[in-house]
Amino acid sequence: FIVNLFPNPSDNEVVIEINNDRPCEFKIELMDVLGKRILDEKTTNNCAILSTANLSTGIYFCRISNGNTSIVRRIAVRHN
């Protein structure tokens, strides 16, 4: 599967697009640079929106996995 995250850097929210050949359940985890898990949810949708409005400015990591494969993407949060 292929993952796109935008906008990056983010101010209020990040859109996660998951392009997959067949429907399945995905686990989405958001962690800070120290590895502390901030979000842990599951979805069967090919699109999810993560709110970053309450996150501190900084770097975060988003892991999307389907049980067999995991993809990690860096997210920069920058509030204006």
Side-chain angles (χ1 to χ4, degrees):
F1 63 95
I2 298 169
V3 174
N4 295 310
L5 290 123
F6 59 90
N8 197 6
S10 170
D11 185 9
N12 290 315
E13 65 184 23
V14 173
V15 176
I16 302 172
E17 285 184 344
I18 304 169
N19 297 318
N20 193 36
D21 293 340
R22 57 186 167 80
C24 66
E25 184 175 80
F26 289 95
K27 183 176 182 179
I28 299 173
E29 298 171 276
L30 185 67
M31 294 152 290
D32 65 13
V33 292
L34 300 176
K36 179 182 174 187
R37 188 174 298 140
I38 297 168
L39 174 89
D40 188 350
E41 65 179 45
K42 294 181 180 180
T43 184
T44 55
N45 296 326
N46 289 343
C47 187
I49 297 175
L50 298 181
S51 173
T52 58
N54 294 328
L55 297 177
S56 299
T57 296
I59 302 297
Y60 296 85
F61 296 95
C62 184
R63 179 186 304 147
I64 299 97
S65 56
N66 67 357
N68 298 324
T69 306
S70 290
I71 295 175
V72 178
R73 295 285 187 262
R74 184 182 64 86
I75 298 172
V77 174
R78 187 180 312 152
H79 299 291
N80 298 328

